[in-house]
Amino acid sequence: YVQAVKEIDPLVEENFLLKSTEFLNDMAEVLLIKATSSEPVVVLSPPWLCGGVFGHLLAPDNFPIDHIERESDDHVTFREISRVFAQKVSPKLLISILLEFQLCHSYDGKEFIFPSLLRKLPALREVWKPTKSESVVYFGSQVACKDTTDSFSPAFFPRLQTILLKEYPGTFPVKPAVWKDGMIFTDAKSEGLMTMSSDEMTCSIVVRNSSGSREYCHYLLAFVQKRLYKALEESSPGTGIVERVISSRALKEHRDTFYTYDLKSVQEAVHENRSLTHPDLQWSERGCDLLVIQEGPNKRAFQLVAKQLRATEWRELGRELGLLDSTLDRLQKDFRGDLKETVYRMLTRWEEGSDCSWSAARQRLSEALVLVERRDIADVLMCEAEGHDEGGETDSELVLPSMLQKVAESLQLQDCRKLGRALGLTDAQLDGIEHRYPFNLGEQQYQILLAWKQQAGNAAYRDALASALQAIGRLDVAEEIQDQE
């Protein structure tokens, strides 16, 4: 442009030419496009650009495209752009203009997404079909504009799609399927669906795992959410948003509508280990079934058990926890050859199906470990429950599981019930322990002490145990635990 003007007036200065062109741009005589991806571009005939280029891309039904010969339904290649527009304009120059006007988006410089040319997402049941797996788990999150006065930029969703397409073939081994208002992808472990509402004010992300792995769902959901927030920051800075959690049950039933809960309410329900009732669906869902959690309070305990349990013990532990053989068979099939992963998934599956709190679940697991003769692991779990995990500080006055074992070995038959009552246990509790271990006196003695420790919690001091021992006439054992360091 500068060279062509200087052929007419060799003395023209570039600064004066720029100011003159900006004036003509303001008068709509020309278009001066200060592109971020290239040098400034001057369009001498704006009607030609709008009718000869933009019209074909924004309204292809009214401006038919010659020689289009589409190579794909969801993206446009550089070859296609060259074939259609090479005789009108330089393809590279045209791409820089289209990128500047956000009419196309590219993830590799070779393939481009033209939102106006994409098809709308078909009915979800056609592209997001129900899985036959009984173990499948679903999780979903939603980001919406906070107020009706807020809005996402038209470039937000295409920008997010191109960011995710960059992950192929790395994170996504199969190229994601792209629609104008949707996208389906997989990382080979879990599947994902992303949609944009018709008013372009709500973006929903859904993930599912056929093997029931919550952790794999977490990885994929967190991966996409991170890129969603990046696209929001780049394309819609300052837009107020509200975060919601999608009903897992509604997702599993493949409802046509995404039913959601407030994120904060779900987080509170997870923390308190309780359920929420959806106002429209009139059913209850547990908080932990709605919010995919990578690292719950018992994750470390489950990993410890998975690391130490033997191949001959894990199914027996599963049965003690109340899991069916069919569930254990499915876990063994899903994680064949990986004992640690099998045990860990078994424990997380059991915890998800129980109605007890995190601490009660750990207590129940400790009891089950004792029943399969792995009290060594149960003792470690009890230590960690009291904050005695490796590297942590300990209260020297608290009773440790190892101390309980030594006391149990020192007791005699006539001491059991008397000590239990002195420690505040009821006859019903003592009868239950005798019923569970009818022919194992040593185990009865240990379980009585363990029941007291769990009941006393942070008040399970050695002084309290020593006082109870003194009350039943076992001064020797009382002195022994008082002298222990």
Side-chain angles (χ1 to χ4, degrees), residues 243-461:
E243 297 175 89
R244 305 188 186 109
V245 178
I246 303 175
S247 165
S248 296
R249 178 174 169 180
L251 289 175
K252 196 167 186 177
E253 293 181 358
H254 281 256
R255 301 243 176 171
D256 295 331
T257 302
F258 291 137
Y259 294 93
T260 62
Y261 300 87
D262 174 66
L263 175 61
K264 186 177 180 181
S265 299
V266 175
Q267 290 173 332
E268 291 174 352
V270 170
H271 180 71
E272 299 169 8
N273 196 31
R274 60 177 173 82
S275 300
L276 295 97
T277 300
H278 196 281
D280 297 328
L281 300 173
Q282 294 301 313
W283 66 40
S284 295
E285 294 179 87
R286 295 190 311 161
C288 61
D289 291 334
L290 293 167
L291 198 64
V292 57
I293 305 172
Q294 179 193 19
E295 192 162 340
N298 285 332
K299 179 178 180 179
R300 180 184 174 93
F302 292 167
Q303 289 176 331
L304 174 68
V305 176
K307 183 178 180 180
Q308 298 192 25
L309 210 63
R310 304 184 186 97
T312 55
E313 299 168 335
W314 76 272
R315 294 184 72 93
E316 186 179 355
L317 177 64
R319 295 188 186 104
E320 290 292 346
L321 292 172
L323 295 177
L324 300 175
D325 282 340
S326 59
T327 301
L328 301 177
D329 292 340
R330 190 161 56 246
L331 287 165
Q332 188 173 24
K333 180 181 178 181
D334 290 341
F335 304 101
R336 184 181 292 113
D338 192 338
L339 176 62
K340 291 181 182 178
E341 189 69 15
T342 302
V343 175
Y344 181 77
R345 297 302 171 192
M346 176 188 74
L347 294 175
T348 56
R349 187 73 55 80
W350 161 71
E351 185 181 43
E352 291 163 11
S354 66
D355 294 324
C356 56
S357 64
W358 308 116
S359 58
R362 184 179 291 220
Q363 177 181 335
R364 177 71 187 90
L365 175 58
S366 298
E367 294 173 352
L369 285 165
V370 172
L371 291 175
V372 300
E373 300 182 358
R374 290 308 305 268
R375 186 191 293 166
D376 55 323
I377 307 177
D379 286 348
V380 175
L381 293 187
M382 290 307 301
C383 282
E384 291 199 349
E386 297 295 339
H388 299 292
D389 46 332
E390 189 174 344
E393 297 182 2
T394 54
D395 185 340
S396 60
E397 295 304 313
L398 282 172
V399 175
L400 302 181
S402 58
M403 188 180 297
L404 296 183
Q405 182 62 41
K406 291 181 180 180
V407 173
E409 292 171 353
S410 303
L411 295 176
Q412 298 176 359
L413 174 61
Q414 64 271 21
D415 297 329
C416 283
R417 295 189 75 89
K418 290 192 294 183
L419 179 60
R421 293 189 185 106
L423 289 170
L425 299 184
T426 65
D427 284 342
Q429 288 176 291
L430 298 174
D431 291 341
I433 292 173
E434 287 183 5
H435 179 74
R436 288 201 302 271
Y437 310 97
F439 306 111
N440 192 336
L441 177 61
E443 194 59 48
Q444 288 181 27
Q445 294 166 337
Y446 179 81
Q447 289 298 323
I448 288 172
L449 293 168
L450 183 61
W452 163 73
K453 176 174 171 53
Q454 293 169 345
Q455 185 172 288
N458 293 332
Y461 290 106

Side-chain angles (χ1 to χ4, degrees), residues 403 406-407 410-411 419 462-484:
M403 188 180 297
K406 291 181 180 180
V407 173
S410 303
L411 295 176
L419 179 60
R462 65 171 71 191
D463 284 346
L465 179 56
S467 297
L469 288 165
Q470 291 171 358
I472 66 170
R474 292 306 306 266
L475 301 179
D476 55 329
V477 184
E479 291 177 358
E480 185 177 342
I481 66 169
Q482 291 282 42
D483 294 338
Q484 278 188 9

Side-chain angles (χ1 to χ4, degrees), residues 62-82:
N62 298 326
F63 297 83
I65 302 176
D66 296 329
H67 315 296
I68 187 167
E69 299 175 17
R70 293 294 304 276
E71 299 178 19
S72 171
D73 289 333
D74 58 8
H75 66 267
V76 175
T77 65
F78 183 80
R79 289 188 301 275
E80 292 177 85
I81 295 174
S82 299

Side-chain angles (χ1 to χ4, degrees), residues 21 54 91 116 126 131 135-136 161 194 232 287-288 298 428 448 452 458 466:
T21 307
F54 289 176
S116 58
E126 296 181 19
T131 174
S135 305
V136 64
Q161 289 176 315
M194 186 172 68
L232 272 178
C288 61
N298 285 332
I448 288 172
W452 163 73
N458 293 332

Side-chain angles (χ1 to χ4, degrees), residues 121-133:
L121 182 70
L124 285 182
R125 287 187 175 272
E126 296 181 19
V127 294
W128 184 251
K129 297 181 179 179
T131 174
K132 297 180 180 179
S133 172

